[in-house]
Amino acid sequence: MSALRLLGLPKLGLPLRAAGTAARVGRSRPFPPPPPRRAMSRYITEERGLPGSDQYRLYFKTTAGHYISPFHDIPLKTESKEAVFNMVVEVPRWTNAKMEIATKEPLNPIKQDIKKGKLRYVANIFPHKGYIWNYGALPQTWEDPHHKDTTTNCCGDNDPIDVCEIGSKVRARGEIIQVKILGILALIDEDETDWKLIAISVDDPEASKFHNIDDVRKHKPSYLEATLDWFRLYKVPDGKPENKFAFNGEFKDKDFALQVIESVHKHWKALLHKKADGGDINCVNVQVCDSPFCCSEEEARSIVQSASTAVNEDSNSKEDEDIHRWHFIKK
C-alpha cells in the first residue's frame, strides 16, 4: 500500500473525484472511491448574529444552498436498514450555553435559550463541566403537551425529544450525526414528561460494543449514575428544586425507547398536518410536501433574509441606545 493511501490524504484537503474515477499521483495506484455519504454531508449551517447574543441564530441548509428546518425537514431515520436515527446536535459536550432548536420561529434555527431576559447557561455540576454528553434532539419528533403519557402520567414538554450522545468525540453545534439508541430516561420537569434518550454515534470507535442500556453500564461504569445526578441537580443552582423522574429514575431499555420514539414521531406527523394543537409551534417546512405548512425554497430564503433584517435593525437600535446612554453619562 502506498504512503499516500496510508496517510489518507483525501481527508486532508485533496479534492475527491466522483466515485470510480482514478486519481493518480506519480505511479501510485488510484484512490478507492469515497465511502457512501452520511447524513452530515447532506447539510450545512449558516450563522446569523453574534454568538453569545440574543440575536444569534444557526440556520440549516442543504448542500445545494436551500434553507430547511432542522425540526421538520431532516428525516427522523437514516437510509440504513438498521434502527439508526439522525440527531441534531444543539450543545457540544463540556459547554454551558443552553442552545436549542427555536421551535416557535420560522425554519427553527438553533438559538440560545433566554429566561427572564438573560441568556441561559447551565451551571457546572461538580465534578463536571457543562453538559456531560453531546446534547441535542431527534428531528421529526414532538412531545405533545396535550397528550398524557400512560407510563409517566404526565403530558409532553412541547419540544422534540432530547438525546444524550455518549460517544468519545466532542461534536459541533448544528452537526447532524447518525446514532443508535441504547435506552431512555423519563425526567419529570415541572410536571411535564421530558424524555432523555441515551444514544451513541455509529461512527464512534467503540460503537460496536454498545447495543442496549446494559452495555453502557458495562463499558462506561458510573456514566448513567452521573447522568441521573446531572438531570436531578442542574436547576438547583438557579434556586429551583431537584428534578424528579418516572420509574424511580430507572433507565429503560432500547425496545422501550424505540416505542417512545415511534409515539413522538406520530405526534409530530399530526402536528404537521393540523391534526394536533401546536399552539405557538412554527411548522413551516420545505420538504414535507403533503403538509399545509410546506413553503417553497424561495419563500424559505425570504424568511431568513427577513429575520436577519429584523435582527440587524434591533441591533442597530440597541447600539443607538448605548451611544445615547454614554453621552448622557459623559455630560
Side-chain angles (χ1 to χ4, degrees):
M1 183 180 291
S2 70
L4 286 173
R5 291 185 68 190
L6 285 172
L7 290 171
L9 284 179
K11 296 181 180 179
L12 300 178
L14 291 181
L16 286 174
R17 291 167 171 78
T21 49
R24 295 180 180 272
V25 179
R27 298 182 62 184
S28 64
R29 290 180 292 175
F31 292 120
R37 295 195 310 171
R38 295 177 301 178
M40 180 185 168
S41 66
R42 296 171 56 188
Y43 308 103
I44 55 178
T45 55
E46 179 180 292
E47 291 183 313
R48 300 279 179 124
L50 293 175
S53 75
D54 59 358
Q55 288 121 7
Y56 176 82
R57 298 293 185 274
L58 187 68
Y59 285 94
F60 287 72
K61 302 165 76 173
T62 65
T63 50
H66 303 304
Y67 290 101
I68 60 167
S69 161
F71 186 4
H72 306 305
D73 289 319
I74 295 175
L76 171 61
K77 288 187 176 182
T78 70
E79 297 174 357
S80 169
K81 293 181 181 179
E82 301 178 36
V84 177
F85 297 84
N86 286 318
M87 170 186 174
V88 181
V89 177
E90 297 167 311
V91 186
R93 182 191 286 116
W94 311 137
T95 62
N96 297 74
K98 193 176 188 308
M99 311 300 296
E100 60 184 17
I101 292 172
T103 58
K104 298 178 181 179
E105 295 185 14
L107 296 181
N108 316 113
I110 288 178
K111 69 170 186 176
Q112 188 166 353
D113 190 24
I114 295 177
K115 281 289 175 71
K116 298 181 180 178
K118 295 183 178 180
L119 296 171
R120 284 189 70 187
Y121 296 87
V122 298
N124 295 321
I125 304 301
F126 183 84
H128 309 293
K129 168 69 171 69
Y131 287 76
I132 63 175
W133 347 255
N134 297 298
Y135 192 70
L138 295 188
Q140 296 189 342
T141 62
W142 179 54
E143 297 189 53
D144 187 346
H146 304 292
H147 173 78
K148 181 174 285 189
D149 189 283
T150 56
T151 61
T152 65
N153 203 34
C154 293
C155 294
D157 71 344
N158 204 30
D159 282 323
I161 194 168
D162 296 321
V163 189
C164 303
E165 194 278 319
I166 65 170
S168 57
K169 299 178 182 179
V170 176
R171 300 293 180 166
R173 181 187 304 154
E175 192 172 349
I176 309 300
I177 61 175
Q178 297 178 323
V179 299
K180 55 182 179 180
I181 305 301
L182 306 174
I184 195 167
L185 176 68
L187 173 67
I188 304 301
D189 188 353
E190 299 180 8
D191 297 324
E192 294 178 336
T193 303
D194 189 2
W195 294 107
K196 307 296 181 184
L197 291 163
I198 307 299
I200 190 167
S201 175
V202 296
D203 68 356
D204 189 86
E206 296 188 328
S208 61
K209 297 179 181 179
F210 293 85
H211 306 285
N212 211 323
I213 198 68
D214 288 336
D215 294 320
V216 183
R217 296 187 179 95
K218 179 179 179 181
H219 298 292
K220 289 182 180 287
S222 300
Y223 205 165
L224 295 180
E225 290 80 1
T227 295
L228 194 69
D229 284 343
W230 196 96
F231 280 119
R232 180 169 56 85
L233 298 172
Y234 84 100
K235 289 187 176 182
V236 172
D238 296 327
K240 293 187 176 182
E242 294 183 2
N243 279 322
K244 298 181 180 180
F245 305 89
F247 317 116
N248 294 318
E250 175 191 355
F251 285 84
K252 293 296 187 179
D253 65 11
K254 174 182 176 179
D255 290 338
F256 188 99
L258 294 178
Q259 291 177 8
V260 174
I261 294 172
E262 182 180 0
S263 174
V264 294
H265 182 52
K266 288 179 179 178
H267 294 156
W268 170 83
K269 284 183 176 180
L271 174 70
L272 263 283
H273 293 85
K274 290 188 174 182
K275 295 180 180 178
D277 179 11
D280 294 334
I281 296 289
N282 196 296
C283 299
V284 170
N285 66 84
V286 182
Q287 297 184 350
V288 187
C289 299
D290 60 344
S291 166
F293 302 101
C294 188
C295 72
S296 67
E297 293 168 352
E298 293 75 17
E299 288 171 327
R301 183 172 297 275
S302 296
I303 287 171
V304 176
Q305 297 299 336
S306 297
S308 299
T309 299
V311 164
N312 289 335
E313 290 176 351
D314 183 54
S315 179
N316 291 336
S317 175
K318 289 182 178 180
E319 287 179 6
D320 291 341
E321 290 176 5
D322 290 341
I323 291 172
H324 177 75
R325 189 180 300 111
W326 182 83
H327 282 300
F328 178 79
I329 293 172
K330 189 176 180 182
K331 289 177 182 178

